[in-house]
Amino acid sequence: MDGHDSEDAKQSTADMTVFVQNLLQQMQSRFQTMSDSIITKIDEMGSRINELEQSINDLKAEMGVEGSPSPLPSSKSNADEGKKEEGSA
């Protein structure tokens, strides 16, 4: 009977090994799926943030155009802007 018990133990060990390997493969597959999903969502968020930044910049530009007191700025402010641009360069 000891020989039979030894075979059962070996078979049980082999079965357990196969079970654990399959379980680990399933877990790896699920983690990979979740990881891919997270990366996709992060990429989508990055695109949305870029679009939001562009919208904000567009609004700022519109506000700059609409916020000016007159359609044609005075010659004094043009001269001041020229000095600022030269100083920032």
Side-chain angles (χ1 to χ4, degrees):
M1 281 208 129
D2 288 338
H4 185 64
D5 287 341
S6 176
E7 285 180 27
D8 286 345
K10 287 180 183 178
Q11 183 62 38
S12 178
T13 301
D15 290 344
M16 185 60 74
T17 301
V18 170
F19 174 78
V20 170
Q21 286 176 340
N22 287 335
L23 185 62
L24 290 173
Q25 286 175 348
Q26 288 175 0
M27 288 174 62
Q28 182 179 5
S29 175
R30 288 180 184 169
F31 280 124
Q32 186 63 47
T33 301
M34 287 190 316
S35 175
D36 292 343
S37 175
I38 290 168
I39 289 171
T40 299
K41 288 181 182 184
I42 289 172
D43 289 343
E44 288 172 2
M45 285 175 49
S47 296
R48 286 179 165 182
I49 289 171
N50 290 339
E51 290 172 10
L52 181 60
E53 285 178 330
Q54 185 60 47
S55 294
I56 290 170
N57 288 334
D58 291 345
L59 287 172
K60 283 182 177 179
E62 286 179 26
M63 292 298 291
V65 170
E66 293 175 5
S68 64
S70 65
L72 297 172
S74 68
S75 60
K76 182 180 178 186
S77 52
N78 281 342
D80 290 341
E81 287 177 13
K83 290 178 184 176
K84 287 179 186 174
E85 288 177 10
E86 289 175 11
S88 62

